[in-house]
Amino acid sequence: MKRLQQQIAIVTGASSGIGQGIAIALAKAGAKVCVNYRSSEDGAKKTLEEIEKNGGEGVIQQADVSKPEDVKTMFQNTIKEYGTVDILVNNAGIQQDASFLEMSHDDWQKVINVNLSGQFYCAQEAAKEFVRRGVVEDRSKAAGKIICMSSVHDIIPWAGHVNYATAKAGILMFAKSLAQELSEKKIRVNAISPGAIKTDINRDAWEDEESRNKLLQLIPYQRVGEVEDIGNAAVWLASDESDYVQGQTIYIDGGMTLYPGFKDNG
Ligand code: NAD
Protein backbone atom coordinates (compact mmCIF):
# COMPACT_ATOMS: atom_id res chain seq x y z
CA MET A 1 0.00 0.00 0.00
CA LYS A 2 1.44 3.38 -1.04
CA ARG A 3 1.71 6.09 1.61
CA LEU A 4 -0.95 8.36 0.09
CA GLN A 5 -3.16 5.67 -1.45
CA GLN A 6 -6.81 6.78 -1.98
CA GLN A 7 -6.01 10.37 -1.06
CA ILE A 8 -6.85 13.40 -3.17
CA ALA A 9 -4.42 16.32 -3.37
CA ILE A 10 -4.66 19.81 -4.82
CA VAL A 11 -1.30 21.39 -5.68
CA THR A 12 -1.42 25.06 -6.65
CA GLY A 13 1.03 26.41 -9.21
CA ALA A 14 1.82 22.87 -10.37
CA SER A 15 2.64 23.71 -13.98
CA SER A 16 6.32 24.34 -13.22
CA GLY A 17 9.14 24.15 -10.70
CA ILE A 18 8.53 23.07 -7.13
CA GLY A 19 4.75 22.63 -7.59
CA GLN A 20 5.33 20.34 -10.56
CA GLY A 21 7.87 18.33 -8.53
CA ILE A 22 5.47 18.05 -5.60
CA ALA A 23 2.52 17.00 -7.79
CA ILE A 24 4.61 14.23 -9.34
CA ALA A 25 5.97 13.10 -5.95
CA LEU A 26 2.48 12.98 -4.36
CA ALA A 27 1.15 10.98 -7.32
CA LYS A 28 4.06 8.52 -7.08
CA ALA A 29 3.07 8.06 -3.42
CA GLY A 30 -0.45 7.10 -4.56
CA ALA A 31 -2.44 10.34 -4.37
CA LYS A 32 -4.74 11.49 -7.15
CA VAL A 33 -3.64 15.02 -7.92
CA CYS A 34 -5.45 18.13 -9.10
CA VAL A 35 -2.74 19.97 -11.05
CA ASN A 36 -3.56 23.66 -10.74
CA TYR A 37 -2.18 26.25 -13.12
CA ARG A 38 -2.86 29.92 -13.76
CA SER A 39 -1.67 30.51 -17.32
CA SER A 40 0.58 27.67 -18.51
CA GLU A 41 -1.77 24.94 -19.66
CA ASP A 42 1.16 23.30 -21.48
CA GLY A 43 3.13 23.14 -18.24
CA ALA A 44 0.16 21.57 -16.44
CA LYS A 45 -0.20 18.99 -19.24
CA LYS A 46 3.50 18.12 -18.85
CA THR A 47 2.98 17.59 -15.12
CA LEU A 48 0.00 15.32 -15.78
CA GLU A 49 1.91 13.40 -18.47
CA GLU A 50 4.73 12.73 -16.00
CA ILE A 51 2.19 11.64 -13.36
CA GLU A 52 0.57 9.22 -15.79
CA LYS A 53 3.95 7.93 -17.05
CA ASN A 54 4.62 6.84 -13.48
CA GLY A 55 1.27 5.04 -13.23
CA GLY A 56 -0.48 7.85 -11.36
CA GLU A 57 -3.71 9.75 -11.90
CA GLY A 58 -4.72 13.39 -11.93
CA VAL A 59 -6.78 16.21 -13.41
CA ILE A 60 -5.84 19.68 -14.60
CA GLN A 61 -7.61 22.72 -13.19
CA GLN A 62 -7.09 26.34 -14.18
CA ALA A 63 -7.51 28.85 -11.35
CA ASP A 64 -5.90 32.08 -10.22
CA VAL A 65 -5.37 31.56 -6.48
CA SER A 66 -5.63 35.29 -5.85
CA LYS A 67 -9.30 35.15 -6.98
CA PRO A 68 -11.58 33.60 -4.35
CA GLU A 69 -14.22 32.67 -6.95
CA ASP A 70 -11.61 30.74 -9.02
CA VAL A 71 -10.46 28.92 -5.90
CA LYS A 72 -14.04 27.93 -4.98
CA THR A 73 -14.62 26.56 -8.47
CA MET A 74 -11.35 24.60 -8.37
CA PHE A 75 -12.38 22.91 -5.13
CA GLN A 76 -15.93 22.25 -6.38
CA ASN A 77 -14.62 20.67 -9.59
CA THR A 78 -12.05 18.52 -7.78
CA ILE A 79 -14.67 17.32 -5.28
CA LYS A 80 -17.07 16.60 -8.15
CA GLU A 81 -14.36 14.54 -9.88
CA TYR A 82 -12.93 12.64 -6.90
CA GLY A 83 -15.47 13.00 -4.07
CA THR A 84 -13.30 14.95 -1.64
CA VAL A 85 -9.89 16.54 -0.96
CA ASP A 86 -7.40 15.25 1.64
CA ILE A 87 -4.27 17.29 0.96
CA LEU A 88 -3.73 20.91 -0.07
CA VAL A 89 -0.28 22.11 -1.13
CA ASN A 90 -0.39 25.90 -1.17
CA ASN A 91 2.56 26.33 -3.51
CA ALA A 92 1.69 29.09 -6.02
CA GLY A 93 3.89 32.13 -5.64
CA ILE A 94 5.40 35.04 -7.55
CA GLN A 95 8.16 37.57 -7.20
CA GLN A 96 7.81 41.14 -8.37
CA ASP A 97 11.12 42.63 -7.32
CA ALA A 98 11.94 46.30 -6.88
CA SER A 99 13.98 48.45 -4.55
CA PHE A 100 11.76 49.74 -1.77
CA LEU A 101 11.76 53.36 -2.95
CA GLU A 102 10.71 52.25 -6.42
CA MET A 103 8.29 49.52 -5.46
CA SER A 104 4.88 50.35 -6.94
CA HIS A 105 1.62 49.72 -5.12
CA ASP A 106 0.92 47.14 -7.79
CA ASP A 107 4.26 45.32 -7.11
CA TRP A 108 3.34 45.20 -3.44
CA GLN A 109 -0.31 44.22 -3.82
CA LYS A 110 0.17 41.52 -6.46
CA VAL A 111 2.70 39.63 -4.36
CA ILE A 112 0.56 39.90 -1.23
CA ASN A 113 -2.55 38.83 -3.18
CA VAL A 114 -0.96 35.68 -4.62
CA ASN A 115 1.60 34.66 -1.97
CA LEU A 116 -0.44 35.45 1.14
CA SER A 117 -4.15 35.93 0.37
CA GLY A 118 -4.04 33.10 -2.20
CA GLN A 119 -2.97 30.69 0.53
CA PHE A 120 -5.80 31.94 2.76
CA TYR A 121 -8.49 31.40 0.07
CA CYS A 122 -7.25 27.88 -0.71
CA ALA A 123 -6.73 26.84 2.92
CA GLN A 124 -10.24 27.99 3.86
CA GLU A 125 -11.86 25.95 1.09
CA ALA A 126 -9.72 22.93 2.04
CA ALA A 127 -10.50 23.25 5.75
CA LYS A 128 -14.26 23.46 5.08
CA GLU A 129 -14.08 20.20 3.13
CA PHE A 130 -11.91 18.49 5.79
CA VAL A 131 -14.38 19.48 8.52
CA ARG A 132 -17.38 18.38 6.44
CA ARG A 133 -15.84 14.95 5.83
CA GLY A 134 -13.87 14.34 9.04
CA VAL A 135 -11.40 11.50 9.49
CA VAL A 136 -11.73 8.45 7.24
CA GLU A 137 -9.82 5.81 9.13
CA ASP A 138 -8.48 3.60 6.35
CA ARG A 139 -7.15 6.67 4.53
CA SER A 140 -5.36 8.87 7.06
CA LYS A 141 -5.27 9.58 10.78
CA ALA A 142 -5.94 13.25 10.01
CA ALA A 143 -9.06 14.79 8.52
CA GLY A 144 -6.81 16.73 6.18
CA LYS A 145 -3.35 18.15 5.65
CA ILE A 146 -2.35 21.62 4.50
CA ILE A 147 1.21 22.34 3.41
CA CYS A 148 2.10 26.00 2.93
CA MET A 149 5.04 26.93 0.72
CA SER A 150 7.05 29.58 2.48
CA SER A 151 10.74 30.47 1.97
CA VAL A 152 13.92 30.98 3.97
CA HIS A 153 12.95 34.63 3.51
CA ASP A 154 10.28 34.17 6.16
CA ILE A 155 13.22 34.68 8.56
CA ILE A 156 16.09 35.99 6.37
CA PRO A 157 15.47 39.64 5.48
CA TRP A 158 15.74 40.32 1.72
CA ALA A 159 16.48 43.80 0.44
CA GLY A 160 14.90 44.51 -2.93
CA HIS A 161 12.19 41.93 -2.20
CA VAL A 162 10.30 43.49 0.71
CA ASN A 163 6.92 42.44 -0.72
CA TYR A 164 8.01 38.80 -1.08
CA ALA A 165 9.76 38.50 2.29
CA THR A 166 6.79 40.14 4.06
CA ALA A 167 4.32 37.74 2.43
CA LYS A 168 6.45 34.71 3.36
CA ALA A 169 6.88 35.93 6.94
CA GLY A 170 3.08 36.14 7.01
CA ILE A 171 2.89 32.51 5.92
CA LEU A 172 5.02 31.47 8.90
CA MET A 173 2.39 32.77 11.34
CA PHE A 174 -0.53 31.84 9.07
CA ALA A 175 0.49 28.18 9.23
CA LYS A 176 1.07 28.23 12.98
CA SER A 177 -2.17 30.04 13.82
CA LEU A 178 -4.17 27.79 11.51
CA ALA A 179 -2.58 24.71 13.04
CA GLN A 180 -3.48 25.93 16.52
CA GLU A 181 -7.08 26.68 15.53
CA LEU A 182 -7.73 23.56 13.44
CA SER A 183 -5.93 20.93 15.55
CA GLU A 184 -9.09 19.85 17.38
CA LYS A 185 -10.68 19.18 13.99
CA LYS A 186 -7.76 16.80 13.26
CA ILE A 187 -6.40 19.03 10.53
CA ARG A 188 -2.64 19.35 10.26
CA VAL A 189 -1.01 22.49 8.90
CA ASN A 190 2.73 22.78 8.28
CA ALA A 191 5.00 24.86 6.11
CA ILE A 192 8.09 24.22 4.02
CA SER A 193 10.70 26.93 3.66
CA PRO A 194 12.97 26.15 0.73
CA GLY A 195 16.38 27.76 0.28
CA ALA A 196 17.61 28.01 -3.31
CA ILE A 197 15.91 25.39 -5.47
CA LYS A 198 16.60 25.30 -9.23
CA THR A 199 13.44 26.64 -10.88
CA ASP A 200 12.42 29.47 -13.20
CA ILE A 201 11.77 31.85 -10.30
CA ASN A 202 15.53 32.12 -9.60
CA ARG A 203 17.12 31.00 -12.89
CA ASP A 204 19.38 34.11 -12.90
CA ALA A 205 20.94 32.97 -9.63
CA TRP A 206 22.06 29.48 -10.71
CA GLU A 207 22.19 29.23 -14.51
CA ASP A 208 25.71 30.54 -15.19
CA GLU A 209 28.80 29.51 -13.27
CA GLU A 210 29.63 32.91 -11.81
CA SER A 211 26.14 33.38 -10.34
CA ARG A 212 26.09 29.78 -9.10
CA ASN A 213 29.42 30.20 -7.28
CA LYS A 214 28.13 33.37 -5.65
CA LEU A 215 24.96 31.55 -4.57
CA LEU A 216 26.97 28.61 -3.18
CA GLN A 217 28.66 30.98 -0.73
CA LEU A 218 25.26 31.13 0.98
CA ILE A 219 24.80 27.34 1.05
CA PRO A 220 27.00 25.42 3.52
CA TYR A 221 26.00 22.08 1.97
CA GLN A 222 27.47 23.31 -1.34
CA ARG A 223 24.77 22.41 -3.81
CA VAL A 224 21.72 24.16 -5.19
CA GLY A 225 18.52 22.31 -4.28
CA GLU A 226 16.39 20.25 -6.67
CA VAL A 227 12.58 20.15 -6.77
CA GLU A 228 12.77 16.52 -5.58
CA ASP A 229 14.28 17.75 -2.29
CA ILE A 230 11.01 19.59 -1.65
CA GLY A 231 8.75 16.90 -3.19
CA ASN A 232 10.08 14.26 -0.80
CA ALA A 233 9.41 16.47 2.21
CA ALA A 234 5.90 17.29 0.99
CA VAL A 235 5.05 13.59 0.68
CA TRP A 236 6.25 12.99 4.23
CA LEU A 237 4.30 15.97 5.60
CA ALA A 238 1.17 14.78 3.79
CA SER A 239 1.52 11.22 5.10
CA ASP A 240 0.73 9.67 8.48
CA GLU A 241 4.49 9.25 9.08
CA SER A 242 4.40 12.90 10.19
CA ASP A 243 1.08 12.61 12.05
CA TYR A 244 2.47 14.27 15.21
CA VAL A 245 4.03 17.17 13.28
CA GLN A 246 1.81 20.20 13.66
CA GLY A 247 2.33 23.92 13.01
CA GLN A 248 5.98 23.52 12.03
CA THR A 249 8.02 25.22 9.36
CA ILE A 250 10.69 22.94 7.94
CA TYR A 251 13.73 24.62 6.41
CA ILE A 252 15.02 22.69 3.40
CA ASP A 253 17.92 24.85 2.42
CA GLY A 254 21.30 23.06 2.55
CA GLY A 255 22.02 25.13 5.66
CA MET A 256 21.27 28.58 4.22
CA THR A 257 19.63 29.62 7.50
CA LEU A 258 22.78 28.71 9.48
CA TYR A 259 24.35 32.18 8.99
CA PRO A 260 27.20 30.85 6.81
CA GLY A 261 28.90 34.29 6.93
CA PHE A 262 29.84 33.51 10.56
CA LYS A 263 31.67 30.27 9.70
CA ASP A 264 35.11 31.89 9.85
CA ASN A 265 34.59 33.74 13.09
CA GLY A 266 32.13 36.26 11.60
P1 NAD B 1 7.85 28.87 -10.39
O1 NAD B 1 7.76 30.25 -10.91
O2 NAD B 1 8.32 27.79 -11.28
O3 NAD B 1 6.48 28.40 -9.75
C1 NAD B 1 5.47 29.23 -9.29
C2 NAD B 1 4.17 28.68 -9.80
O4 NAD B 1 3.09 29.42 -9.26
C3 NAD B 1 4.08 28.79 -11.34
O5 NAD B 1 3.64 27.57 -11.86
C4 NAD B 1 3.05 29.90 -11.53
O6 NAD B 1 2.33 29.76 -12.71
C5 NAD B 1 2.19 29.69 -10.31
N1 NAD B 1 1.38 30.86 -10.01
C6 NAD B 1 1.79 32.14 -9.94
N2 NAD B 1 0.74 32.94 -9.67
C7 NAD B 1 -0.35 32.14 -9.59
C8 NAD B 1 -1.71 32.38 -9.34
N3 NAD B 1 -2.18 33.61 -9.14
N4 NAD B 1 -2.55 31.31 -9.34
C9 NAD B 1 -2.11 30.06 -9.54
N5 NAD B 1 -0.81 29.77 -9.78
C10 NAD B 1 0.05 30.81 -9.81
O7 NAD B 1 8.78 28.98 -9.10
P2 NAD B 1 9.04 27.94 -7.92
O8 NAD B 1 10.42 28.19 -7.49
O9 NAD B 1 8.63 26.57 -8.30
O10 NAD B 1 8.07 28.50 -6.78
C11 NAD B 1 7.10 27.71 -6.11
C12 NAD B 1 6.94 28.21 -4.69
O11 NAD B 1 8.14 27.98 -3.98
C13 NAD B 1 6.64 29.70 -4.58
O12 NAD B 1 5.70 29.91 -3.54
C14 NAD B 1 7.99 30.29 -4.20
O13 NAD B 1 7.86 31.49 -3.49
C15 NAD B 1 8.55 29.18 -3.33
N6 NAD B 1 9.99 29.20 -3.15
C16 NAD B 1 10.84 28.91 -4.19
C17 NAD B 1 12.21 28.91 -3.96
C18 NAD B 1 13.22 28.56 -5.03
O14 NAD B 1 14.42 28.63 -4.76
N7 NAD B 1 12.83 28.16 -6.21
C19 NAD B 1 12.71 29.22 -2.70
C20 NAD B 1 11.82 29.52 -1.68
C21 NAD B 1 10.46 29.50 -1.91
Side-chain angles (χ1 to χ4, degrees):
M1 174 113 166
K2 291 182 173 176
R3 282 192 281 179
L4 303 179
Q5 200 75 42
Q6 303 183 58
Q7 297 195 47
I8 315 303
I10 292 181
V11 183
T12 66
S15 58
S16 64
I18 291 174
Q20 185 169 61
I22 290 176
I24 293 166
L26 294 177
K28 276 187 186 162
K32 295 185 176 104
V33 180
C34 166
V35 176
N36 160 252
Y37 73 97
R38 183 199 46 187
S39 50
S40 172
E41 192 178 1
D42 282 353
K45 281 183 179 160
K46 257 195 208 130
T47 308
L48 187 57
E49 258 171 46
E50 198 58 35
I51 286 173
E52 289 172 346
K53 229 197 273 168
N54 287 291
E57 192 183 328
V59 286
I60 290 175
Q61 180 70 53
Q62 196 281 333
D64 179 338
V65 298
S66 68
K67 296 185 177 155
E69 60 283 9
D70 276 23
V71 170
K72 230 181 222 322
T73 307
M74 172 171 72
F75 273 82
Q76 279 167 355
N77 289 345
T78 307
I79 292 166
K80 209 193 268 170
E81 178 77 27
Y82 288 130
T84 190
V85 176
D86 302 276
I87 299 158
L88 166 68
V89 183
N90 253 336
N91 165 79
I94 53 167
Q95 280 182 223
Q96 205 144 316
D97 307 331
S99 70
F100 185 63
L101 293 178
E102 279 158 14
M103 188 171 279
S104 67
H105 292 183
D106 188 59
D107 292 334
W108 171 265
Q109 204 56 57
K110 263 201 183 134
V111 170
I112 298 297
N113 287 350
V114 175
N115 296 13
L116 192 55
S117 304
Q119 293 214 20
F120 163 70
Y121 303 137
C122 292
Q124 196 174 51
E125 289 303 318
K128 281 183 194 164
E129 174 59 13
F130 299 160
V131 168
R132 183 200 65 77
R133 193 202 59 243
V135 176
V136 180
E137 294 222 330
D138 63 344
R139 235 164 38 205
S140 176
K141 289 177 183 166
K145 282 87 50 155
I146 297 173
I147 299 168
C148 301
M149 198 54 60
S150 187
S151 160
V152 289
H153 294 295
D154 58 11
I155 53 167
I156 301 179
W158 205 14
H161 308 260
V162 165
N163 47 1
Y164 183 86
T166 303
K168 294 301 189 184
I171 291 302
L172 185 86
M173 197 45 74
F174 175 70
K176 282 190 192 302
S177 300
L178 258 194
Q180 192 190 60
E181 185 166 339
L182 297 177
S183 273
E184 64 185 24
K185 313 270 189 212
K186 301 294 282 178
I187 295 169
R188 291 198 298 116
V189 187
N190 292 288
I192 294 175
S193 286
I197 309 296
K198 280 185 212 157
T199 70
D200 281 346
I201 214 171
N202 56 4
R203 187 169 287 280
D204 292 353
W206 54 263
E207 199 160 47
D208 68 85
E209 200 178 338
E210 196 186 333
S211 313
R212 203 166 43 250
N213 286 339
K214 195 164 159 235
L215 180 61
L216 287 176
Q217 289 173 16
L218 298 173
I219 309 173
Y221 202 58
Q222 288 296 293
R223 75 169 170 87
V224 183
E226 306 287 343
V227 295
E228 290 77 13
D229 292 315
I230 307 301
N232 292 336
V235 168
W236 180 72
L237 278 178
S239 78
D240 279 356
E241 285 173 17
S242 63
D243 188 57
Y244 210 47
V245 180
Q246 177 66 310
Q248 298 303 307
T249 292
I250 301 182
Y251 292 85
I252 302 177
D253 64 354
M256 192 179 255
T257 40
L258 299 174
Y259 296 94
F262 280 82
K263 192 171 132 236
D264 297 318
N265 214 19

